[in-house]
Amino acid sequence: MASYKEIVTKAVVGKAKKNSVSKFSVQPEETPDTILGCWVINHSFEGKNSNGVVGINGAFDVNVWYSYNGDTKTAVTTKRFNYNDKMNIRLKDGARLNDASEIIVRSLNQPTVTDVKINNGIVDLSIEKELGVEVVGNTMIKVSVEEDPDDYELIEDIDDNEVDNEVESIDENYLN
């Protein structure tokens, strides 16, 4: 007769993703005439439980390459931006977000500049990013356990000497 055992294990108990577009401003030392390029680097982030909501603290650097002085000179300015995103995550099977929960954050789409404009010497940027979050927590699974030893077939032990003798008796020239 079968009985059941409960096994406690770690499993993904909730998932979510969030796409966001944020506005940022950079003020270069010189007044820019034309934006020649703009890119985001050094993206870092981490997720934490914040009263039952996943809080994501992150940062990235934005480099803006621009021309100035009547488009006769160029320069690059860099600025670091911090962000805080909050994500509500629907957890499965009555799981709860607590300090023991492991929060895994992934960048599904790296931050990218989608729009850039010069406004009175200030560079206004729109940056889009997509983050995915998985919450890993304890969960239980039930397994059926067979306790009757007669339910298992016995497997004979194989003697290594017998195997060696069989291998040695193989005719290597059989196919010739």
Side-chain angles (χ1 to χ4, degrees), residues 86-124:
K86 298 215 180 284
M87 292 178 73
N88 288 313
I89 299 178
R90 182 178 299 172
L91 301 176
K92 300 175 187 174
D93 301 327
R96 289 201 165 88
L97 185 62
N98 56 41
D99 291 336
S101 300
E102 181 182 353
I103 298 172
I104 301 168
V105 181
R106 291 186 176 88
S107 180
L108 302 176
N109 286 319
Q110 290 293 333
T112 306
V113 177
T114 57
D115 189 35
V116 60
K117 292 180 181 158
I118 301 170
N119 187 9
N120 294 327
I122 297 174
V123 179
D124 292 327

Side-chain angles (χ1 to χ4, degrees), residues 45-47 54-58 83-87 105 131 133:
F45 48 84
E46 70 175 343
V54 173
I56 302 169
N57 298 319
Y83 65 87
N84 297 310
D85 286 345
K86 298 215 180 284
M87 292 178 73
V105 181
L131 300 174
V133 174

Side-chain angles (χ1 to χ4, degrees), residues 8 14 29-30 43 90 111 115 117 123 133 153 155-156:
V8 177
E29 291 181 22
E30 302 83 8
H43 185 210
R90 182 178 299 172
D115 189 35
K117 292 180 181 158
V123 179
V133 174
E153 290 183 29
I155 299 173
E156 288 184 33

Side-chain angles (χ1 to χ4, degrees), residues 3-154:
S3 64
Y4 292 91
K5 301 277 183 178
E6 291 181 342
I7 299 174
V8 177
T9 186
K10 297 249 182 223
V12 174
V13 295
K15 288 182 178 185
K17 66 181 179 177
K18 181 178 183 179
N19 190 353
S20 63
V21 177
S22 303
K23 306 281 186 191
F24 299 97
S25 295
V26 176
Q27 184 162 8
E29 291 181 22
E30 302 83 8
T31 302
D33 295 324
T34 307
I35 301 300
L36 303 173
C38 195
W39 57 97
V40 180
I41 60 171
N42 300 328
H43 185 210
S44 61
F45 48 84
E46 70 175 343
K48 291 187 178 182
N49 175 18
S50 177
N51 297 323
V53 175
V54 173
I56 302 169
N57 298 319
F60 49 78
D61 296 331
V62 175
N63 293 320
V64 178
W65 179 34
Y66 59 94
S67 67
Y68 64 98
N69 198 18
D71 288 334
T72 61
K73 295 185 179 185
T74 67
V76 175
T77 188
T78 301
K79 186 170 180 184
R80 182 133 183 103
F81 293 103
N82 296 312
Y83 65 87
N84 297 310
D85 286 345
K86 298 215 180 284
M87 292 178 73
N88 288 313
I89 299 178
R90 182 178 299 172
L91 301 176
K92 300 175 187 174
D93 301 327
R96 289 201 165 88
L97 185 62
N98 56 41
D99 291 336
S101 300
E102 181 182 353
I103 298 172
I104 301 168
V105 181
R106 291 186 176 88
S107 180
L108 302 176
N109 286 319
Q110 290 293 333
T112 306
V113 177
T114 57
D115 189 35
V116 60
K117 292 180 181 158
I118 301 170
N119 187 9
N120 294 327
I122 297 174
V123 179
D124 292 327
L125 308 163
S126 293
I127 297 179
E128 182 177 9
K129 68 182 180 313
E130 185 175 21
L131 300 174
V133 174
E134 292 180 337
V135 176
V136 176
N138 289 334
T139 189
M140 265 191 244
I141 57 173
K142 286 185 179 183
V143 294
S144 173
V145 178
E146 298 293 332
E147 294 179 2
D148 188 359
D150 292 337
D151 288 346
Y152 301 100
E153 290 183 29
L154 294 177

